[in-house]
Amino acid sequence: WAKAPASGEVLVNAGTADIDLVFPEGTRLEASLSSGTGSVANDFAAGGKFAVTAKSGTGDVALRKIK
C-alpha cells in the first residue's frame, strides 16, 4: 500500500505459506498476527482503526514498514 486507509480491515490466511505485509511508516493500525509453527514479526505499535489480521499454519508472518 502507498497509503493505508484510516479505517477498515485486511484479513490474510495461508495454510503453508509465508505472509509479508508492508505498509508506509506512520500507518496507524491494530494487528493480530499468528503462525502455528513459524515466526511472527510486527514493526508497528498498536493503535488505529485499520485492522490487519494475518494467520499462517506453517509459514512466517511479518508486518513491516516502508521507510
Side-chain angles (χ1 to χ4, degrees), residues 8-42:
E9 68 180 333
V10 171
L11 174 60
V12 181
N13 289 305
T16 58
D18 293 338
I19 299 171
D20 188 22
L21 301 172
V22 182
F23 290 93
E25 191 169 19
T27 299
R28 297 187 48 79
L29 53 82
E30 189 66 40
S32 174
L33 311 174
S34 64
S35 175
T37 60
S39 65
V40 175
N42 183 359

